[in-house]
């Protein structure tokens, strides 16, 4: 079997209303799918992290840089392919967009391997440690409106996500320390006293401001404080973890095993959040997961993208060993974006129906059982939303 073509599909549409986080507002939803074709008619699908113009740049890397390196190679030699591509791109970037691009290709190769073997991804990895996965609903994004308006909106939206059946919820902050504390209080008010919620700053703060917000939020008992400072600030992460009474999480902006080794050795994380569509794909994710567990750091995958990314993470979470184990082990959760996302809801020929499952099963979902990722993108849908399609 040989690889004969790799195609990037960058999809996009206008959102009904602007959404934002601490770094920017955006009005378009995008997704970057990667399709790897073989001479035996077996096709694999993957996804690259990176929105907007980043996706367009990554399309160039996938098709113009990586594709020529691997044409004619056996797609089942995915570790050989991974290291060939990484080594040839190393001089031009060991993090960021080259790794995002390699991630999409690698995920597609695992999809092919599962289809060849007739096994779901979690079986290829080693089996499912759980047949159902807990899900938390992510929402409460920033919008270009007043803080008072957001406070009211966050209270209502948090209550709505809880009512949908999710096990927990996560909010955005980034207005500034004092206003962010108001948003955190609003979410706790919306979900009540005993419901878990998480706070995501998207590295908005200096260490000083992160301490201010972190100490103020302790009163409202969030489960974790995500990306409080810049991902490069390993000392800041360590200081915050030592000085706050809330879990510190992060890692979505870290790449490959070498970057994760430094992050974990700094002892700045209570919870690791690797992003499989960015750090180097499934092949590298499994190495990072082993590093996290070697450092006794629990993992809750970062998930952002289309149904392809969601399905990939469902398998990875199913196959994740319990840490540290026991009768009632700590369980990972699937991150699920509850905001408007056609690429999550309508991309596949058969929907994952995450929200439907959550509503009827106490906040959990079943693990996909089909070969590979177990999902099939709708080609007509892709053609309709492909922003690079000139036909």
């Amino acid at each position: 079997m040989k690889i004969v073509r790799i195609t990037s599909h960058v999809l996009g549409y206008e959102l009904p209303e602007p959404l934002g986080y601490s770094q920017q507002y955006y009005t378009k939803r995008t997704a970057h799918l990667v399709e790897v074709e073989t001479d035996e008619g077996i096709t694999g699908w993957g996804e690259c992290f990176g929105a907007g113009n980043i996706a367009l740049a990554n399309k160039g890397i996938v098709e113009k840089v990586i594709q020529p390196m691997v044409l004619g190679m056996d797609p089942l030699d995915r570790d050989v392919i991974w290291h060939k591509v990484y080594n040839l791109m190393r001089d031009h970037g060991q993090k960021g967009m080259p790794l995002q691009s390699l991630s999409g290709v690698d995920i597609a190769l695992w999809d092919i391997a599962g289809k060849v073997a007739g096994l779901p991804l979690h079986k290829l990895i080693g089996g499912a440690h759980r047949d159902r996965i807990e899900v938390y609903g992510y929402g409460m994004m920033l919008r270009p409106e007043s803080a008072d308006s957001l406070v009211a909106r966050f209270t209502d939206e948090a209550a709505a996500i809880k009512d949908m059946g999710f096990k927990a919820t996560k909010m955005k902050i980034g207005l500034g320390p004092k206003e962010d504390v108001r948003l955190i209080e609003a979410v706790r008010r919306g979900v009540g006293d005993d419901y878990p919620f998480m706070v995501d700053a998207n590295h908005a703060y200096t260490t000083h401001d992160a301490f201010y917000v972190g100490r103020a939020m302790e009163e409202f008992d969030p489960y974790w404080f995500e990306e409080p400072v810049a991902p490069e600030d390993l000392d800041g992460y360590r200081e915050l973890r030592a000085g706050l009474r809330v879990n510190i999480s992060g890692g979505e902006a870290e790449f490959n095993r070498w970057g994760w080794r430094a992050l974990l050795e700094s002892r700045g994380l209570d919870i690791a959040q690797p992003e499989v569509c960015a750090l180097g794909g499934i092949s590298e994710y499994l190495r990072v997961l082993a590093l996290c567990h070697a450092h006794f750091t629990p993992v809750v995958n970062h998930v952002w993208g289309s149904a392809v990314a969601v399905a990939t993470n469902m398998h990875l979470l199913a196959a994740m060993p319990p840490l540290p184990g026991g009768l009632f082990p700590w369980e990972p959760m699937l991150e699920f974006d509850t905001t408007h996302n056609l690429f999550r809801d309508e991309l596949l020929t058969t929907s994952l129906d995450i929200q439907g499952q959550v509503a009827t099963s106490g906040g959990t979902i079943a693990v996909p059982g089909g070969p590979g990722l177990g999902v099939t993108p709708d080609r007509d849908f892709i053609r309709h939303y492909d922003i690079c399609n000139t036909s």
Side-chain angles (χ1 to χ4, degrees):
M1 185 185 302
K2 296 180 179 180
I3 297 171
V4 297
R5 184 181 295 108
I6 301 178
T7 307
S8 276
H9 304 280
V10 180
L11 314 182
Y13 73 92
E14 294 283 342
L15 285 166
E17 61 178 334
L19 295 174
Y21 58 107
S22 67
Q23 303 302 315
Q24 64 176 331
Y25 298 108
Y26 56 93
T27 59
K28 294 182 179 180
R29 171 80 67 183
T30 55
H32 179 184
L33 306 182
V34 174
E35 179 184 6
V36 176
E37 299 175 70
T38 70
D39 61 348
E40 295 187 10
I42 298 175
T43 295
W45 292 91
E47 182 160 355
C48 302
F49 184 76
N53 291 335
I54 301 297
L56 295 174
N58 283 344
K59 175 181 173 67
I61 298 174
V62 169
E63 295 184 343
K64 303 300 184 183
V65 180
I66 297 177
Q67 179 178 219
M69 294 178 185
V70 303
L71 285 178
M73 293 185 71
D74 187 336
L76 299 183
D77 292 340
R78 53 192 178 274
D79 194 62
V80 175
I81 290 171
W82 195 98
H83 284 91
K84 176 181 181 179
V85 172
Y86 182 81
N87 289 338
L88 289 175
M89 293 198 299
R90 172 184 267 133
D91 291 349
H92 313 286
Q94 304 91 42
K95 297 177 182 284
M97 291 159 63
L99 270 293
Q100 292 173 348
S101 301
L102 176 55
S103 297
V105 175
D106 181 80
I107 293 168
L109 296 180
W110 278 85
D111 190 28
I112 289 172
K115 291 171 179 175
V116 170
L119 295 171
L121 173 60
H122 62 267
K123 285 287 189 183
L124 289 184
I125 294 171
H129 290 271
R130 54 196 62 81
D131 57 10
R132 299 199 68 84
I133 304 164
E134 298 182 353
V135 188
Y136 77 84
Y138 155 46
M140 286 77 74
M141 298 193 71
L142 303 183
R143 291 169 172 82
E145 56 192 57
S146 71
D148 289 343
S149 176
L150 283 175
V151 165
R153 182 194 290 271
F154 276 30
T155 299
D156 293 342
E157 189 173 346
I161 291 173
K162 178 182 178 182
D163 289 343
M164 291 177 195
F166 290 98
K167 288 285 190 178
T169 190
K170 187 169 77 175
M171 64 179 295
K172 294 292 192 187
I173 54 175
L175 299 182
K178 291 185 178 180
E179 299 293 3
D180 286 342
V181 174
R182 293 181 62 205
L183 295 179
I184 294 166
E185 181 181 12
V187 169
R188 173 52 78 197
R189 184 165 58 248
V191 299
D193 291 338
D194 299 322
Y195 187 76
F197 79 102
M198 293 79 82
V199 179
D200 186 358
N202 291 109
H203 48 82
Y205 301 125
T206 63
T207 306
H208 177 274
D209 285 348
F211 266 113
Y212 175 91
V213 176
R215 286 168 178 152
M217 74 170 66
E218 289 174 352
E219 174 186 352
F220 306 107
D221 193 28
Y223 184 49
W224 73 58
F225 187 9
E226 181 171 336
E227 281 203 304
V229 293
E232 301 95 331
D233 187 7
L234 302 186
D235 289 339
Y237 268 95
R238 184 175 60 252
E239 292 164 9
L240 289 164
R241 186 187 182 203
L244 293 177
R245 291 184 291 109
V246 59
N247 288 313
I248 301 298
S249 70
E252 70 184 74
E254 192 53 83
F255 300 86
N256 69 45
R257 73 200 83 159
W258 300 285
W260 271 93
R261 178 184 64 182
L263 175 57
L264 291 164
E265 287 178 351
S266 73
R267 304 301 292 171
L269 293 180
D270 292 293
I271 296 170
Q273 296 173 297
E275 169 54 73
V276 67
C277 297
L279 62 79
I282 295 167
S283 296
E284 196 68 355
Y285 167 89
L286 294 174
R287 291 185 272 261
V288 167
L289 176 65
L291 278 174
C292 292
H293 282 192
H295 287 81
F296 294 95
T297 305
V299 173
V300 178
N301 297 349
H302 179 264
V303 185
W304 177 264
S306 80
V308 171
V310 174
T312 302
N313 280 280
M314 291 167 71
H315 288 282
L316 297 177
L317 292 169
M320 185 186 296
L323 179 78
L327 283 175
F328 304 101
W330 182 93
E331 290 287 348
M333 296 182 288
L334 175 72
E335 177 177 12
F336 185 79
D337 167 27
T338 63
T339 64
H340 196 277
N341 189 343
L342 296 179
F343 306 140
R344 177 199 62 219
D345 298 335
E346 300 182 17
L347 171 67
L348 305 179
T349 56
T350 302
S351 172
L352 293 170
D353 190 28
I354 301 295
Q355 288 165 296
Q357 291 190 65
V358 163
T360 58
S361 65
T364 66
I365 54 173
V367 179
L373 299 182
V375 297
T376 303
D378 184 326
R379 291 188 180 275
D380 289 336
F381 180 93
I382 289 173
R383 278 190 289 270
H384 180 77
Y385 287 100
D386 193 333
I387 63 177
C388 301
N389 187 357
T390 58
S391 60

PDB file of all heavy atoms in Angstrom, residues 77-96:
ATOM      1  N   ASP A  77       3.498   2.640   7.946  1.00  0.00           N
ATOM      2  CA  ASP A  77       4.775   2.971   8.579  1.00  0.00           C
ATOM      3  C   ASP A  77       4.687   4.358   9.209  1.00  0.00           C
ATOM      4  O   ASP A  77       5.522   5.239   8.966  1.00  0.00           O
ATOM      5  CB  ASP A  77       5.902   2.932   7.541  1.00  0.00           C
ATOM      6  CG  ASP A  77       6.180   1.522   7.032  1.00  0.00           C
ATOM      7  OD1 ASP A  77       5.802   0.554   7.721  1.00  0.00           O
ATOM      8  OD2 ASP A  77       6.782   1.402   5.947  1.00  0.00           O
ATOM      9  N   ARG A  78       3.705   4.550  10.042  1.00  0.00           N
ATOM     10  CA  ARG A  78       3.420   5.898  10.516  1.00  0.00           C
ATOM     11  C   ARG A  78       4.519   6.451  11.425  1.00  0.00           C
ATOM     12  O   ARG A  78       4.770   7.657  11.416  1.00  0.00           O
ATOM     13  CB  ARG A  78       2.060   5.955  11.210  1.00  0.00           C
ATOM     14  CG  ARG A  78       1.838   4.955  12.317  1.00  0.00           C
ATOM     15  CD  ARG A  78       0.370   4.898  12.735  1.00  0.00           C
ATOM     16  NE  ARG A  78       0.163   3.897  13.758  1.00  0.00           N
ATOM     17  CZ  ARG A  78      -0.063   2.601  13.503  1.00  0.00           C
ATOM     18  NH1 ARG A  78      -0.113   2.174  12.264  1.00  0.00           N
ATOM     19  NH2 ARG A  78      -0.240   1.741  14.490  1.00  0.00           N
ATOM     20  N   ASP A  79       5.198   5.609  12.197  1.00  0.00           N
ATOM     21  CA  ASP A  79       6.279   6.111  13.031  1.00  0.00           C
ATOM     22  C   ASP A  79       7.484   6.502  12.175  1.00  0.00           C
ATOM     23  O   ASP A  79       8.147   7.517  12.448  1.00  0.00           O
ATOM     24  CB  ASP A  79       6.689   5.074  14.073  1.00  0.00           C
ATOM     25  CG  ASP A  79       7.567   5.671  15.160  1.00  0.00           C
ATOM     26  OD1 ASP A  79       7.091   6.584  15.871  1.00  0.00           O
ATOM     27  OD2 ASP A  79       8.728   5.248  15.293  1.00  0.00           O
ATOM     28  N   VAL A  80       7.758   5.730  11.139  1.00  0.00           N
ATOM     29  CA  VAL A  80       8.826   6.078  10.201  1.00  0.00           C
ATOM     30  C   VAL A  80       8.506   7.417   9.532  1.00  0.00           C
ATOM     31  O   VAL A  80       9.366   8.297   9.414  1.00  0.00           O
ATOM     32  CB  VAL A  80       8.997   4.975   9.138  1.00  0.00           C
ATOM     33  CG1 VAL A  80      10.025   5.382   8.086  1.00  0.00           C
ATOM     34  CG2 VAL A  80       9.401   3.660   9.800  1.00  0.00           C
ATOM     35  N   ILE A  81       7.255   7.549   9.094  1.00  0.00           N
ATOM     36  CA  ILE A  81       6.824   8.795   8.445  1.00  0.00           C
ATOM     37  C   ILE A  81       6.932   9.966   9.414  1.00  0.00           C
ATOM     38  O   ILE A  81       7.438  11.042   9.056  1.00  0.00           O
ATOM     39  CB  ILE A  81       5.387   8.641   7.916  1.00  0.00           C
ATOM     40  CG1 ILE A  81       5.370   7.679   6.723  1.00  0.00           C
ATOM     41  CG2 ILE A  81       4.795   9.997   7.534  1.00  0.00           C
ATOM     42  CD1 ILE A  81       3.979   7.287   6.273  1.00  0.00           C
ATOM     43  N   TRP A  82       6.484   9.774  10.655  1.00  0.00           N
ATOM     44  CA  TRP A  82       6.512  10.862  11.633  1.00  0.00           C
ATOM     45  C   TRP A  82       7.936  11.390  11.806  1.00  0.00           C
ATOM     46  O   TRP A  82       8.177  12.602  11.718  1.00  0.00           O
ATOM     47  CB  TRP A  82       5.976  10.388  12.985  1.00  0.00           C
ATOM     48  CG  TRP A  82       5.643  11.524  13.911  1.00  0.00           C
ATOM     49  CD1 TRP A  82       4.415  12.070  14.124  1.00  0.00           C
ATOM     50  CD2 TRP A  82       6.564  12.290  14.720  1.00  0.00           C
ATOM     51  NE1 TRP A  82       4.499  13.120  15.010  1.00  0.00           N
ATOM     52  CE2 TRP A  82       5.804  13.287  15.387  1.00  0.00           C
ATOM     53  CE3 TRP A  82       7.931  12.245  14.937  1.00  0.00           C
ATOM     54  CZ2 TRP A  82       6.380  14.199  16.262  1.00  0.00           C
ATOM     55  CZ3 TRP A  82       8.515  13.171  15.804  1.00  0.00           C
ATOM     56  CH2 TRP A  82       7.734  14.128  16.456  1.00  0.00           C
ATOM     57  N   HIS A  83       8.876  10.483  12.021  1.00  0.00           N
ATOM     58  CA  HIS A  83      10.236  10.931  12.296  1.00  0.00           C
ATOM     59  C   HIS A  83      10.921  11.473  11.046  1.00  0.00           C
ATOM     60  O   HIS A  83      11.727  12.410  11.142  1.00  0.00           O
ATOM     61  CB  HIS A  83      11.042   9.792  12.927  1.00  0.00           C
ATOM     62  CG  HIS A  83      10.696   9.560  14.358  1.00  0.00           C
ATOM     63  ND1 HIS A  83       9.716   8.677  14.750  1.00  0.00           N
ATOM     64  CD2 HIS A  83      11.169  10.142  15.502  1.00  0.00           C
ATOM     65  CE1 HIS A  83       9.616   8.700  16.074  1.00  0.00           C
ATOM     66  NE2 HIS A  83      10.475   9.579  16.546  1.00  0.00           N
ATOM     67  N   LYS A  84      10.609  10.935   9.885  1.00  0.00           N
ATOM     68  CA  LYS A  84      11.170  11.503   8.654  1.00  0.00           C
ATOM     69  C   LYS A  84      10.719  12.954   8.493  1.00  0.00           C
ATOM     70  O   LYS A  84      11.537  13.846   8.245  1.00  0.00           O
ATOM     71  CB  LYS A  84      10.740  10.683   7.437  1.00  0.00           C
ATOM     72  CG  LYS A  84      11.220  11.277   6.118  1.00  0.00           C
ATOM     73  CD  LYS A  84      10.775  10.463   4.910  1.00  0.00           C
ATOM     74  CE  LYS A  84      11.302  11.095   3.625  1.00  0.00           C
ATOM     75  NZ  LYS A  84      10.901  10.311   2.419  1.00  0.00           N
ATOM     76  N   VAL A  85       9.421  13.180   8.629  1.00  0.00           N
ATOM     77  CA  VAL A  85       8.882  14.532   8.443  1.00  0.00           C
ATOM     78  C   VAL A  85       9.413  15.464   9.523  1.00  0.00           C
ATOM     79  O   VAL A  85       9.860  16.589   9.231  1.00  0.00           O
ATOM     80  CB  VAL A  85       7.345  14.503   8.440  1.00  0.00           C
ATOM     81  CG1 VAL A  85       6.776  15.923   8.448  1.00  0.00           C
ATOM     82  CG2 VAL A  85       6.829  13.733   7.226  1.00  0.00           C
ATOM     83  N   TYR A  86       9.391  15.030  10.774  1.00  0.00           N
ATOM     84  CA  TYR A  86       9.857  15.901  11.861  1.00  0.00           C
ATOM     85  C   TYR A  86      11.328  16.255  11.672  1.00  0.00           C
ATOM     86  O   TYR A  86      11.723  17.430  11.815  1.00  0.00           O
ATOM     87  CB  TYR A  86       9.658  15.232  13.218  1.00  0.00           C
ATOM     88  CG  TYR A  86      10.085  16.133  14.360  1.00  0.00           C
ATOM     89  CD1 TYR A  86       9.248  17.136  14.825  1.00  0.00           C
ATOM     90  CD2 TYR A  86      11.354  16.004  14.933  1.00  0.00           C
ATOM     91  CE1 TYR A  86       9.655  17.987  15.849  1.00  0.00           C
ATOM     92  CE2 TYR A  86      11.758  16.854  15.950  1.00  0.00           C
ATOM     93  CZ  TYR A  86      10.910  17.844  16.398  1.00  0.00           C
ATOM     94  OH  TYR A  86      11.318  18.684  17.401  1.00  0.00           O
ATOM     95  N   ASN A  87      12.152  15.274  11.342  1.00  0.00           N
ATOM     96  CA  ASN A  87      13.577  15.532  11.201  1.00  0.00           C
ATOM     97  C   ASN A  87      13.867  16.494  10.046  1.00  0.00           C
ATOM     98  O   ASN A  87      14.761  17.339  10.142  1.00  0.00           O
ATOM     99  CB  ASN A  87      14.340  14.221  11.006  1.00  0.00           C
ATOM    100  CG  ASN A  87      14.390  13.381  12.275  1.00  0.00           C
ATOM    101  OD1 ASN A  87      14.239  13.895  13.376  1.00  0.00           O
ATOM    102  ND2 ASN A  87      14.590  12.082  12.116  1.00  0.00           N
ATOM    103  N   LEU A  88      13.118  16.365   8.955  1.00  0.00           N
ATOM    104  CA  LEU A  88      13.347  17.243   7.810  1.00  0.00           C
ATOM    105  C   LEU A  88      12.799  18.649   8.040  1.00  0.00           C
ATOM    106  O   LEU A  88      13.244  19.604   7.385  1.00  0.00           O
ATOM    107  CB  LEU A  88      12.728  16.636   6.551  1.00  0.00           C
ATOM    108  CG  LEU A  88      13.451  15.396   6.004  1.00  0.00           C
ATOM    109  CD1 LEU A  88      12.674  14.795   4.831  1.00  0.00           C
ATOM    110  CD2 LEU A  88      14.880  15.732   5.569  1.00  0.00           C
ATOM    111  N   MET A  89      11.842  18.794   8.953  1.00  0.00           N
ATOM    112  CA  MET A  89      11.307  20.127   9.257  1.00  0.00           C
ATOM    113  C   MET A  89      11.937  20.744  10.502  1.00  0.00           C
ATOM    114  O   MET A  89      11.689  21.911  10.804  1.00  0.00           O
ATOM    115  CB  MET A  89       9.780  20.068   9.439  1.00  0.00           C
ATOM    116  CG  MET A  89       9.008  19.729   8.184  1.00  0.00           C
ATOM    117  SD  MET A  89       7.243  20.154   8.283  1.00  0.00           S
ATOM    118  CE  MET A  89       6.699  19.152   9.658  1.00  0.00           C
ATOM    119  N   ARG A  90      12.739  19.971  11.219  1.00  0.00           N
ATOM    120  CA  ARG A  90      13.262  20.414  12.514  1.00  0.00           C
ATOM    121  C   ARG A  90      13.978  21.764  12.427  1.00  0.00           C
ATOM    122  O   ARG A  90      13.817  22.628  13.299  1.00  0.00           O
ATOM    123  CB  ARG A  90      14.202  19.360  13.074  1.00  0.00           C
ATOM    124  CG  ARG A  90      14.933  19.808  14.327  1.00  0.00           C
ATOM    125  CD  ARG A  90      15.941  18.767  14.794  1.00  0.00           C
ATOM    126  NE  ARG A  90      15.362  17.878  15.771  1.00  0.00           N
ATOM    127  CZ  ARG A  90      15.462  16.550  15.747  1.00  0.00           C
ATOM    128  NH1 ARG A  90      16.063  15.949  14.745  1.00  0.00           N
ATOM    129  NH2 ARG A  90      14.933  15.822  16.713  1.00  0.00           N
ATOM    130  N   ASP A  91      14.786  21.962  11.394  1.00  0.00           N
ATOM    131  CA  ASP A  91      15.528  23.212  11.272  1.00  0.00           C
ATOM    132  C   ASP A  91      14.621  24.415  11.045  1.00  0.00           C
ATOM    133  O   ASP A  91      15.075  25.564  11.133  1.00  0.00           O
ATOM    134  CB  ASP A  91      16.517  23.134  10.108  1.00  0.00           C
ATOM    135  CG  ASP A  91      17.667  22.171  10.385  1.00  0.00           C
ATOM    136  OD1 ASP A  91      17.806  21.731  11.539  1.00  0.00           O
ATOM    137  OD2 ASP A  91      18.420  21.861   9.440  1.00  0.00           O
ATOM    138  N   HIS A  92      13.355  24.166  10.754  1.00  0.00           N
ATOM    139  CA  HIS A  92      12.429  25.239  10.407  1.00  0.00           C
ATOM    140  C   HIS A  92      11.298  25.378  11.424  1.00  0.00           C
ATOM    141  O   HIS A  92      10.352  26.128  11.208  1.00  0.00           O
ATOM    142  CB  HIS A  92      11.865  24.998   8.999  1.00  0.00           C
ATOM    143  CG  HIS A  92      12.948  24.661   8.018  1.00  0.00           C
ATOM    144  ND1 HIS A  92      13.826  25.595   7.535  1.00  0.00           N
ATOM    145  CD2 HIS A  92      13.324  23.465   7.490  1.00  0.00           C
ATOM    146  CE1 HIS A  92      14.690  25.002   6.721  1.00  0.00           C
ATOM    147  NE2 HIS A  92      14.411  23.716   6.679  1.00  0.00           N
ATOM    148  N   GLY A  93      11.399  24.648  12.533  1.00  0.00           N
ATOM    149  CA  GLY A  93      10.416  24.796  13.595  1.00  0.00           C
ATOM    150  C   GLY A  93      10.107  23.496  14.294  1.00  0.00           C
ATOM    151  O   GLY A  93       9.619  22.560  13.662  1.00  0.00           O
ATOM    152  N   GLN A  94      10.411  23.435  15.596  1.00  0.00           N
ATOM    153  CA  GLN A  94      10.102  22.232  16.381  1.00  0.00           C
ATOM    154  C   GLN A  94       8.773  22.355  17.110  1.00  0.00           C
ATOM    155  O   GLN A  94       8.359  21.447  17.816  1.00  0.00           O
ATOM    156  CB  GLN A  94      11.204  21.976  17.414  1.00  0.00           C
ATOM    157  CG  GLN A  94      12.594  21.859  16.828  1.00  0.00           C
ATOM    158  CD  GLN A  94      13.314  23.191  16.785  1.00  0.00           C
ATOM    159  OE1 GLN A  94      13.250  23.971  17.725  1.00  0.00           O
ATOM    160  NE2 GLN A  94      14.008  23.459  15.687  1.00  0.00           N
ATOM    161  N   LYS A  95       8.105  23.492  16.935  1.00  0.00           N
ATOM    162  CA  LYS A  95       6.822  23.737  17.573  1.00  0.00           C
ATOM    163  C   LYS A  95       5.911  24.426  16.572  1.00  0.00           C
ATOM    164  O   LYS A  95       6.295  24.683  15.425  1.00  0.00           O
ATOM    165  CB  LYS A  95       6.990  24.632  18.811  1.00  0.00           C
ATOM    166  CG  LYS A  95       7.837  24.052  19.941  1.00  0.00           C
ATOM    167  CD  LYS A  95       8.003  25.056  21.072  1.00  0.00           C
ATOM    168  CE  LYS A  95       8.893  24.524  22.190  1.00  0.00           C
ATOM    169  NZ  LYS A  95       8.183  23.554  23.026  1.00  0.00           N
ATOM    170  N   GLY A  96       4.695  24.723  16.994  1.00  0.00           N
ATOM    171  CA  GLY A  96       3.813  25.558  16.200  1.00  0.00           C
ATOM    172  C   GLY A  96       3.297  24.916  14.924  1.00  0.00           C
ATOM    173  O   GLY A  96       2.976  23.728  14.897  1.00  0.00           O
TER     174      GLY A  96
END
